Amino acid sequence: MTNAIELRNVTKKYAQFTVDNVSLDVKQGYITGLIGPNGVGKSTLIKMILGMVRPDFGTVKILGCQMPVQEIDIKQRIGIVSDDCFYYEHLTIREMKKLIAPFYKKWNEQKFNRYLEQFELSPRKKIEQLSKGMKVKFALAVALSHEAELLIMDEPTSGLDPVFRREMLDLLADMMQDERNSIIFSTHITTDLDRIADYIAFINRGKLVFNEAKDEVLERYTIVKGDLQLLDADIRHKFVGLRETAVGFEGLVDNRQDAERLFGSYAVLDKPSLEDIMYFSAKGGRVYA
Amino acid sequence: MNIIISNASSDPIYMQIMNQIRQSILSGELRAGDSLPSIRQLAKDLQVSVITTKRAYEELEKEKLIDSVVGKGSYVSGANTDFIREQRMKRLEEKMIEIIQESKELSMSQQDVIRYLTLLFEEE
């Protein structure tokens, strides 16, 4: 299997936090979700992929090409959608498009107009008049209109309503009908990824916790709920994260078979969501509520 | 063919997909040579991961119920007709047992049931 993105030992030190020796493969032909709480390095990692932040150490390879040496070629072939708006606020959508389109060799005007119509964006509107959600839609229209093979999205859904978020999942699935295409998608709204992501890369405190097929992750972990009397020091150690209250405990275990053997029918074992996994891993240790 | 995924089910999604396609094949709704939606199209329609639909298809391939040809997609295999016939015979047997129980409750004799069945056979 080939990789759309290859990060090797990427490190970036800041005063407050460090992206620490991250090696990550984003597989071609699939959707990879980059999850993690706010401020753990997701955006920094994406900025390093895009060459907007230079790593102190380590290498970035995109679509088989080395960054930043082949940056100009690479950027023809990728689409970017970000929470931040990179466009000139005082221009209209049409003016902005006229500025962007010539940069792309494979610009498809027809496609672009079709997306504007579908997203109900008026070309006469100024960028500054657009809502946050509309800006993301505009960025998505640009990203999908130059035959990008790799779509890189940084928190694209945070400003969007649930209706358009669902529609966007369909647009992404459309792009994925071609198995040469790939998507990487950073978010803290994990319900979007619960549905369509193929791989999940989990970043916490500047480190990569795992990068695995979503189905495997969800099958491996389990939520255990039960009576406080079941817990002792040894058993507490089995938990990735544990939340104890006056009426019982709830915790995450990263080996379902183990948990089944250990607790049998004494506790309730539930299927976790990505949010559960993120919450308990981020908190770590014991959480008292 | 319909595939309905339930989030409340304790079965993983790939298994739900697999079971429903298998059921469609065993019931005869899908026949040998019928094509199945592509892995990526099905993932889009169900809004699930491509890996999930891929795994469902791979399991069905292992059971020799479907074949996948690179570039052509997947279709119902004709190879495992014995298995399909066996499964359908088993379902027929279950239905026959139901008939026997029902007729016993109606205090019909074995002869009565056979006569009734013969009559219906001739009308078909």
Side-chain angles (χ1 to χ4, degrees), chain A residues 247-272:
Chain A
V247 290
F249 74 86
E250 182 185 5
L252 183 76
V253 175
D254 64 3
N255 185 329
R256 198 169 48 136
Q257 276 94 18
D258 248 16
E260 276 167 3
R261 260 198 309 275
L262 198 60
F263 293 102
S265 56
Y266 292 104
V268 177
L269 268 61
D270 253 352
K271 279 201 271 188

Side-chain angles (χ1 to χ4, degrees), chain A:
Chain A
M1 206 170 343
T2 43
N3 297 321
I5 302 176
E6 276 178 26
L7 301 182
R8 288 292 172 270
N9 311 101
V10 167
T11 300
K12 179 81 191 173
K13 276 198 171 68
Y14 286 109
Q16 296 88 0
F17 88 109
T18 306
V19 172
D20 191 8
N21 201 22
V22 172
S23 294
L24 172 69
D25 290 340
V26 174
K27 305 222 165 31
Q28 189 185 17
Y30 296 97
I31 299 177
T32 296
L34 192 61
I35 64 168
N38 286 332
V40 295
K42 293 194 302 284
S43 290
T44 308
L45 208 58
I46 287 201
K47 285 193 175 114
M48 285 196 277
I49 292 171
L50 293 173
M52 292 157 68
V53 169
R54 289 282 157 83
D56 299 335
F57 187 72
T59 58
V60 178
K61 229 171 157 184
I62 301 179
L63 299 168
C65 304
Q66 204 74 44
M67 279 290 275
V69 190
Q70 292 162 287
E71 183 169 350
I72 293 170
D73 289 339
I74 292 169
K75 294 230 162 136
Q76 287 288 333
R77 298 160 67 194
I78 63 181
I80 302 161
V81 177
S82 167
D83 200 11
D84 300 325
C85 186
F86 301 117
Y87 303 112
Y88 296 124
E89 296 273 339
H90 62 283
L91 296 182
T92 65
I93 286 184
R94 185 185 287 128
E95 289 161 347
M96 194 66 224
K97 187 261 315 179
K98 273 191 193 152
L99 215 65
I100 300 169
F103 285 109
Y104 292 111
K105 288 179 195 146
K106 290 188 182 169
W107 181 262
N108 187 330
E109 186 74 22
Q110 239 180 334
K111 250 190 182 174
F112 179 74
N113 288 328
R114 214 176 51 224
Y115 283 123
L116 286 192
E117 212 167 293
Q118 189 183 341
F119 300 164
E120 295 173 354
L121 292 172
S122 159
R124 283 188 300 275
K125 255 204 166 147
K126 283 194 173 172
I127 309 279
E128 62 192 357
Q129 296 171 315
L130 301 179
S131 69
K132 203 173 172 193
M134 286 158 95
K135 280 176 187 163
V136 171
K137 287 181 187 182
F138 174 55
L140 194 62
V142 173
L144 294 173
S145 297
H146 63 268
E147 319 288 337
E149 297 158 55
L150 169 63
L151 192 57
I152 298 175
M153 303 201 289
D154 189 10
E155 297 283 355
T157 50
S158 55
L160 298 174
D161 63 79
V163 178
F164 187 70
R165 267 172 36 213
R166 282 285 179 91
E167 280 171 30
M168 196 176 88
L169 298 188
D170 263 336
L171 291 170
L172 300 187
D174 271 336
M175 180 174 166
M176 294 315 294
Q177 294 303 301
D178 187 336
E179 60 197 46
R180 286 166 301 187
N181 291 341
S182 324
I183 297 175
I184 179 165
F185 189 136
S186 93
T187 186
H188 58 266
I189 305 174
T190 52
T191 44
D192 297 329
L193 297 168
D194 271 331
R195 301 183 78 93
I196 58 161
D198 298 299
Y199 290 91
I200 298 291
F202 179 27
I203 308 278
N204 196 24
R205 298 191 187 115
K207 281 188 195 279
L208 180 70
V209 182
F210 60 73
N211 176 28
E212 282 177 67
K214 181 193 66 193
D215 294 2
E216 278 168 31
V217 171
L218 294 178
E219 276 173 45
R220 186 155 56 87
Y221 283 91
T222 187
I223 290 282
V224 185
K225 295 174 188 172
D227 198 318
L228 286 172
Q229 284 171 343
L230 291 171
L231 299 174
D232 62 27
D234 282 343
I235 288 183
R236 279 197 174 88
H237 269 298
K238 305 268 181 199
F239 286 90
V240 174
L242 189 58
R243 179 174 176 270
E244 294 175 50
T245 67
V247 290
F249 74 86
E250 182 185 5
L252 183 76
V253 175
D254 64 3
N255 185 329
R256 198 169 48 136
Q257 276 94 18
D258 248 16
E260 276 167 3
R261 260 198 309 275
L262 198 60
F263 293 102
S265 56
Y266 292 104
V268 177
L269 268 61
D270 253 352
K271 279 201 271 188
S273 63
L274 290 174
E275 197 175 293
D276 292 326
I277 294 172
M278 193 161 93
Y279 169 74
F280 283 109
S281 308
K283 288 284 181 191
R286 253 170 287 160
V287 185
Y288 292 99

